[in-house]
Amino acid sequence: MPDALDAHPYDALLLLSFGGPEGPDDVVPFLENVTRGRGIPKERLKEVGQHYFLFGGVSPINDQNRALLDALRKDFADHGLDLPVYWGNRNWAPYLTDTLREMVADGRRRILVLATSAYASYSGCRQYRENLAESLATLQAEGLELPRVDKLRHYFNHPGFLQPMIDGVLKSLADLPEDVRAGAHLAFTTHSIPNASADTSGPVEDHGDGGAYVKQHLDAARLIADAVREETGTDHPWQLVYQSRSGAPHIPWLEPDICDHLEELHGAGVSAVVMAPIGFVSDHMEVMYDLDTEAKAKAEELGLPVRRSATVGADPRFAAAIRELVVERAATESGRDVKLCALGDLGPSHDVCPVGCCPARAPKPAAAGADSPYV
């Protein structure tokens, strides 16, 4: 159809991510940005930063975002979608406020935002919306004309997000020794968050304990496990588990932790495990340290064969999924009929976050939602 790749009314896409240090001297300043307002001493941040120092003080996330930018730009150009793509971070250069300032200078007035988080949660959705509101407030104080900013819906159940992970699990299973492959369990991992935050990621009465955060992950995990069974003919047992806990010990967080899960599986006589980090868009620090370093060390200690499957990263199918989501949202905003693409039981997520969605402990303005002060 002639208008199939019409991005109107949008005139730009903003890739919005977490950011990370790009050298040893960046680590502590980066962590100060991440923890601003919490009063954490610099010496403690240096201890926390050891994960980064193990990798030369460089987080892989920025290079991974550069690769995704290239993939998006190539896909858009190959399919005739005339939409420039920008990049801004929450905690490191290029900073979100600087990027929005650049976009305004370039004449961008309707901006669609892609956050590098596929699921509903405070840190994965609303906090990015709060960052957008803070940056827009800065631009407003500078007397700049504010753009209208919208955010793409959660894409955890889009086939372009799921299929690369299905292939990753299949590849990891094939890489296991043949004598343990059939009995391998699948451990689908995601970032642990406080139970209270999970519950408010979607009303418990609608989603159950763990809110939308847990339910969306379970839906994605089931879809991947079902696809693996159809491809291999083997029904591999699976469980959703968690990693990267960072909170105070007395606050309940989602469990079980991946290392505890590996110990439990080993004790039960499981022959092998594939760790599939479905909660992460790319192989950034939590994946490289908590899985590739810490969890693999635990598995080696146990004598348990493990493999870690790939995240979607800059896979062309993921770039194509983003293009489809952009065109879908543009059609919706323009009042055109469009079929929303989603697999599984939950269907497509909402385009506009409702009032009070994924609330913070201290209420803050959040852009790109029903309660946005910038419409």
Side-chain angles (χ1 to χ4, degrees):
M1 294 178 62
D3 64 347
L5 297 184
D6 182 7
H8 179 79
Y10 298 105
D11 55 21
L13 177 69
L14 169 61
L15 174 64
L16 177 55
S17 193
F18 193 81
E22 301 205 73
D25 293 341
D26 296 342
V27 172
V28 171
F30 163 73
L31 292 173
E32 286 175 335
N33 287 342
V34 174
T35 61
R36 183 173 288 116
R38 301 183 200 173
I40 299 177
K42 183 170 289 190
E43 290 306 312
R44 173 58 182 151
L45 295 180
K46 289 180 181 178
E47 293 175 16
V48 173
Q50 291 306 312
H51 294 182
Y52 292 96
F53 293 128
L54 286 173
F55 297 90
V58 178
S59 169
I61 193 171
N62 283 342
D63 278 346
Q64 290 161 4
N65 280 325
R66 292 183 184 103
L68 180 55
L69 280 173
D70 289 344
L72 290 171
R73 288 165 177 160
K74 182 181 186 304
D75 180 90
F76 288 9
D78 288 349
H79 292 85
L81 180 61
D82 184 16
L83 193 70
V85 186
Y86 295 75
W87 171 33
N89 287 326
R90 173 188 292 170
N91 297 302
W92 202 249
Y95 288 103
L96 172 59
T97 302
D98 295 335
T99 300
L100 282 175
R101 193 180 289 115
E102 176 189 356
M103 296 176 82
V104 169
D106 289 347
R108 310 305 176 193
R109 294 295 177 263
R110 287 295 301 271
I111 297 171
L112 198 51
V113 176
L114 163 64
T116 53
S117 175
Y119 302 86
S121 70
Y122 171 72
S123 59
C125 184
R126 186 177 181 91
Q127 191 171 10
Y128 282 117
R129 294 176 48 226
E130 291 176 355
N131 299 147
L132 286 165
E134 290 170 2
S135 294
L136 290 171
T138 298
L139 268 56
Q140 188 174 53
E142 294 171 358
L144 298 178
E145 182 179 353
L146 296 188
R148 163 79 180 268
V149 178
D150 294 327
K151 179 180 173 292
L152 285 174
R153 64 179 173 90
H154 304 303
Y155 45 84
F156 66 93
N157 56 2
H158 194 287
F161 180 67
L162 293 170
Q163 191 59 54
M165 291 191 292
I166 292 167
D167 290 349
V169 172
L170 290 170
K171 183 177 179 181
S172 293
L173 283 168
D175 191 50
L176 283 168
E178 189 173 358
D179 61 329
V180 300
R181 190 179 305 150
H185 281 227
L186 310 180
F188 294 106
T189 76
T190 190
H191 207 300
S192 184
I193 62 175
N195 289 5
S197 295
D199 288 345
T200 57
S201 65
V204 174
E205 57 268 24
D206 294 339
H207 299 288
D209 290 342
Y213 185 74
V214 170
K215 193 165 188 178
Q216 289 172 358
H217 279 88
L218 287 172
D219 203 41
R222 180 185 58 77
L223 287 164
I224 296 170
D226 287 351
V228 168
R229 182 183 65 249
E230 291 175 11
E231 180 69 24
T232 64
T234 301
D235 191 5
H236 292 276
W238 63 270
Q239 185 170 337
L240 177 64
V241 299
Y242 303 92
Q243 61 175 91
S244 312
R245 174 182 172 139
S246 60
H250 68 281
I251 298 175
W253 283 51
L254 294 173
E255 296 179 335
D257 176 78
I258 178 61
C259 289
D260 295 338
H261 184 59
L262 292 177
E263 286 191 341
E264 181 180 351
L265 292 180
H266 177 258
V270 169
S271 64
V273 178
V274 169
M275 302 182 293
I278 63 171
F280 303 88
V281 170
S282 61
D283 290 4
H284 49 73
M285 187 57 68
E286 282 88 346
V287 175
M288 289 180 61
Y289 183 80
D290 296 333
L291 294 184
D292 293 351
T293 305
E294 199 171 50
K296 283 189 176 180
K298 171 58 70 174
E300 185 175 347
E301 172 192 319
L302 296 168
L304 177 65
V306 298
R307 297 293 185 272
R308 197 270 291 174
S309 65
T311 53
V312 297
D315 190 289
R317 292 166 292 183
F318 182 48
I322 300 308
R323 167 175 40 87
E324 292 169 8
L325 289 170
V326 166
V327 172
E328 166 199 294
R329 182 62 181 275
T332 300
E333 289 294 310
S334 299
R336 304 191 301 271
D337 290 334
V338 61
K339 183 177 181 180
L340 307 184
C341 186
L343 301 176
D345 297 332
L346 300 183
S349 186
H350 46 253
D351 277 335
V352 179
C353 292
V355 174
C357 185
C358 303
R361 282 179 292 179
K364 295 181 180 179
D371 52 358
S372 171
Y374 303 104
V375 179

